[in-house]
Amino acid sequence: GAVVSQHPSWVICKSGTSVKIECRSLDFQATTMFWYRQFPKQSLMLMATSNEGSKATYEQGVEKDKFLINHASLTLSTLTVTSAHPEDSSFYICSARDRQKLPEELFFGEGSRLTVL
Amino acid sequence: GENVEQHPSTLSVQEGDSAVIKCTYSDSASNYFPWYKQELGKGPQLIIDIRSNVGEKKDQRIAVTLNKTAKHFSLHITETQPEDSAVYFCAASKNQGGKLIFGQGTELSVKP
């Protein structure tokens, strides 16, 4: 099946630094990717919809200047957590839509665990 | 906005018993309802899904039912095995491949 890869799988950073997480669709083109955040023992909360070649659409309450999303190619979307703070520590998960399949299918990455000290 | 409620939050069963997890959704425009299994430290894996034009779907030990009138859908796992232990999430979307709204999750524990 289709594979979505996230990198890094885990990262530890100091408070105030920025961290970039990559989401790649390995064997299909994804014009749309979704970014979710999951706190321990909680559900996945949609942060934003990433569209190739255009600006991301953010969900209500998600700061676009803090969570920068770039979707510059059909196989790569990046999420940059700027000026990270301990409360940003979370599990970040992306999903990518394969539009060449009918019906369209959504594939999830394995997640990236961010710990901010 | 769309809201998905999931119950129970935890479920413990004996190996071989059945497990049922229920979800309700608020947006009547939702027409795609997937179920995901998430193991610790991993991303969610699709285990079964159902579209609004179908009332029931089965795949071996797993089945999903949908009641559009009542806006609820359920996951049924029969003959549970210890490897079924994980967190299960329901979700709803207005179209397959679109953004998903997830339920709160159910931590299933299957005791040998």
Side-chain angles (χ1 to χ4, degrees), chain A residues 3-5 23-30 33 74-77 96:
Chain A
V3 177
V4 174
S5 173
C23 178
R24 292 181 186 274
S25 55
L26 297 185
D27 55 1
F28 65 96
Q29 294 182 335
M33 292 184 177
L74 286 171
T75 59
L76 174 65
S77 175

Side-chain angles (χ1 to χ4, degrees), chain B residues 13-73:
Chain B
V13 299
Q14 286 295 133
E15 182 178 1
D17 288 349
S18 295
V20 180
I21 303 170
K22 298 181 178 182
C23 287
T24 59
Y25 60 98
S26 61
D27 191 343
S28 55
S30 296
N31 59 14
Y32 176 65
F33 308 92
W35 286 89
Y36 290 89
K37 177 182 181 182
Q38 187 180 31
E39 297 178 335
L40 193 62
K42 296 187 176 182
Q45 281 188 303
L46 178 69
I47 55 171
I48 196 167
D49 58 10
I50 192 167
R51 296 179 187 81
S52 60
N53 58 345
V54 176
E56 184 174 356
K57 183 177 177 180
K58 189 173 181 180
D59 182 4
Q60 299 183 332
R61 296 187 297 109
I62 296 173
V64 57
T65 58
L66 171 66
N67 183 327
K68 278 211 73 177
T69 303
K71 289 193 280 189
H72 66 70
F73 55 113

Side-chain angles (χ1 to χ4, degrees), chain A residues 32 34 36 38 41-44 46 49 59 91 93 97 103-106 108-111 113, chain B residues 32 36 38 41-46 51 89 95-105 107:
Chain A
T32 301
F34 302 94
Y36 293 84
Q38 185 179 32
K41 294 193 176 294
Q42 292 190 26
S43 187
L44 287 78
L46 180 65
T49 302
E59 294 299 303
F91 196 46
I93 306 170
R97 181 162 73 193
E104 296 176 353
E105 289 192 59
L106 203 59
F108 280 84
E110 285 297 312
R113 183 162 302 283
Chain B
Y32 176 65
Y36 290 89
Q38 187 180 31
K42 296 187 176 182
Q45 281 188 303
L46 178 69
R51 296 179 187 81
F89 290 96
N95 56 278
Q96 186 173 359
K99 67 178 185 180
L100 293 168
I101 305 301
F102 283 85
Q104 294 85 351
E107 185 172 2

Side-chain angles (χ1 to χ4, degrees), chain A residues 22-95:
Chain A
E22 295 183 346
C23 178
R24 292 181 186 274
S25 55
L26 297 185
D27 55 1
F28 65 96
Q29 294 182 335
T31 54
T32 301
M33 292 184 177
F34 302 94
W35 285 97
Y36 293 84
R37 179 168 53 182
Q38 185 179 32
F39 292 110
K41 294 193 176 294
Q42 292 190 26
S43 187
L44 287 78
M45 299 300 295
L46 180 65
M47 299 176 67
T49 302
S50 169
N51 299 298
E52 187 268 335
S54 63
K55 291 182 179 180
T57 303
Y58 290 81
E59 294 299 303
Q60 192 172 6
V62 178
E63 301 174 57
K64 60 180 69 176
D65 293 332
K66 179 165 182 64
F67 299 99
L68 301 179
I69 291 173
N70 183 282
H71 194 156
S73 80
L74 286 171
T75 59
L76 174 65
S77 175
T78 60
L79 168 68
T80 301
V81 183
T82 62
S83 187
H85 292 285
E87 56 265 31
D88 297 323
S89 298
S90 188
F91 196 46
Y92 292 87
I93 306 170
C94 72
S95 65

